[in-house]
Amino acid sequence: MKDYPNVHILDHPLIRHKVAYLRDVNTDTKLFRDLITEVATLMTYEAFKDVPTESIKIQTPFELIDQDIVKNDSVAIVPILRAGLGMVDGVFNLFPLAKVGHIGLYRNEETHEPVEYYCKLPQNIENMVTVVLDPMLATGGSASEAITMLKKRGCKKIKLMSIIAAPEGVTRMAEDHPDVEIYVSTLDRELNENCYILPGLGDAGDRIFGTK
Ligand code: PRP
Ligand code: URA
């Protein structure tokens, strides 16, 4: 895979540790959900490092100072249904006041192309930094389509957070959307014939919600 300036592979030992248990077929639904939340929290620290801030006056026990805080109403997170929902609490752990939009997409089982079924976004999202959440970046079709939908609705500064990615998905995203910062915790080897990520963790939505 080529190097892309907008792609950030985090590959942190604390994340590797948690991804090991996410991959484990014996990990139950509760632990799987908790691990997705924890990895999303760790990723938030990195992906939000240029979050908009504003200066306010704070009185310490010794001095009155100007201190930066996160700017109100400046960030929206947009989970891609269903599996992206699993990452929302992880972002809320560090960023409890983020606005939340929802985009519903599922992959057609034969073509693997995304099919849209829902979109509800916060008012004024076009003025916010918008962070799309989806634990799996496989062909990249779903994330790329979600970001196209956001751009059509006026979003200008967009990021993507995915826990596991295949090289095919990273390449598609980086080439479709070179203006979007892409944060991936773990880059896997390849896609199988059904466009699942190998070694991967299986179907993230089913493992989060216990549907299979
Ligand atoms: C999964 C996953 C991504 C998508 C990734 O969703 O959560 O949204 O596949 O694949 P892609 O990069 O090839 O588009 P799925 O379509 O299985 O829907 P679900 O989350 O409702 O199970
Ligand atoms: N969606 C998933 O949930 N897992 C994959 O490996 C690919 C797409």
Side-chain angles (χ1 to χ4, degrees):
M1 197 185 80
K2 256 170 66 182
D3 269 350
Y4 295 97
N6 58 327
V7 174
H8 311 276
I9 311 286
L10 304 186
D11 197 29
H12 189 288
L14 289 177
I15 295 183
R16 281 207 294 275
H17 176 90
K18 294 180 191 302
V19 168
Y21 293 99
L22 280 174
R23 292 190 192 283
D24 187 341
V25 69
N26 294 312
T27 294
D28 66 25
T29 305
K30 160 89 171 87
L31 178 57
F32 191 87
R33 267 200 302 268
D34 290 348
L35 288 165
I36 291 275
T37 298
E38 288 168 11
V39 174
T41 301
L42 293 170
M43 295 185 77
T44 300
Y45 182 76
E46 189 61 27
F48 284 59
K49 69 182 175 200
D50 59 352
V51 68
T53 57
E54 61 188 341
S55 183
I56 60 165
K57 298 271 181 216
I58 293 282
Q59 177 68 58
T60 80
F62 302 113
E63 292 176 29
L64 182 66
I65 56 164
D66 294 311
Q67 173 75 53
D68 278 354
I69 57 164
V70 173
K71 204 167 170 196
N72 267 340
D73 297 340
S74 61
V75 175
I77 56 176
V78 180
I80 300 180
L81 308 181
R82 294 173 303 163
L85 287 175
M87 298 174 72
V88 171
D89 280 349
V91 178
F92 277 160
N93 281 339
L94 296 184
F95 215 129
L97 295 182
K99 308 287 179 202
V100 186
H102 296 88
I103 289 181
L105 294 172
Y106 69 87
R107 291 198 314 177
N108 176 296
E109 284 184 7
E110 263 124 52
T111 63
H112 307 117
E113 286 299 314
V115 181
E116 179 188 340
Y117 62 90
Y118 190 73
C119 182
K120 177 85 180 168
L121 300 173
Q123 260 184 359
N124 297 324
I125 191 169
E126 62 277 9
N127 300 318
M128 300 177 192
V129 177
T130 305
V131 185
V132 174
L133 308 178
D134 196 327
M136 308 307 281
L137 186 63
T139 65
S142 304
S144 181
E145 177 61 22
I147 287 166
T148 299
M149 290 165 68
L150 291 171
K151 286 181 174 173
K152 280 188 187 146
R153 285 161 178 80
C155 296
K156 291 172 276 299
K157 185 152 171 98
I158 305 174
K159 297 169 183 263
L160 169 70
M161 275 171 50
S162 286
I163 296 180
I164 294 191
E168 294 88 333
V170 174
T171 300
R172 165 126 185 224
M173 265 300 306
E175 296 192 352
D176 286 359
H177 299 289
D179 53 330
V180 169
E181 297 295 319
I182 301 161
Y183 295 86
V184 166
S185 77
T186 304
L187 182 64
D188 268 7
R189 195 177 67 241
E190 62 185 345
L191 296 177
N192 72 10
E193 63 284 3
N194 296 317
C195 292
Y196 276 84
I197 300 173
L198 296 178
L201 49 72
D203 187 303
D206 284 337
R207 295 197 66 188
I208 290 169
F209 297 109
T211 38
K212 258 190 198 149

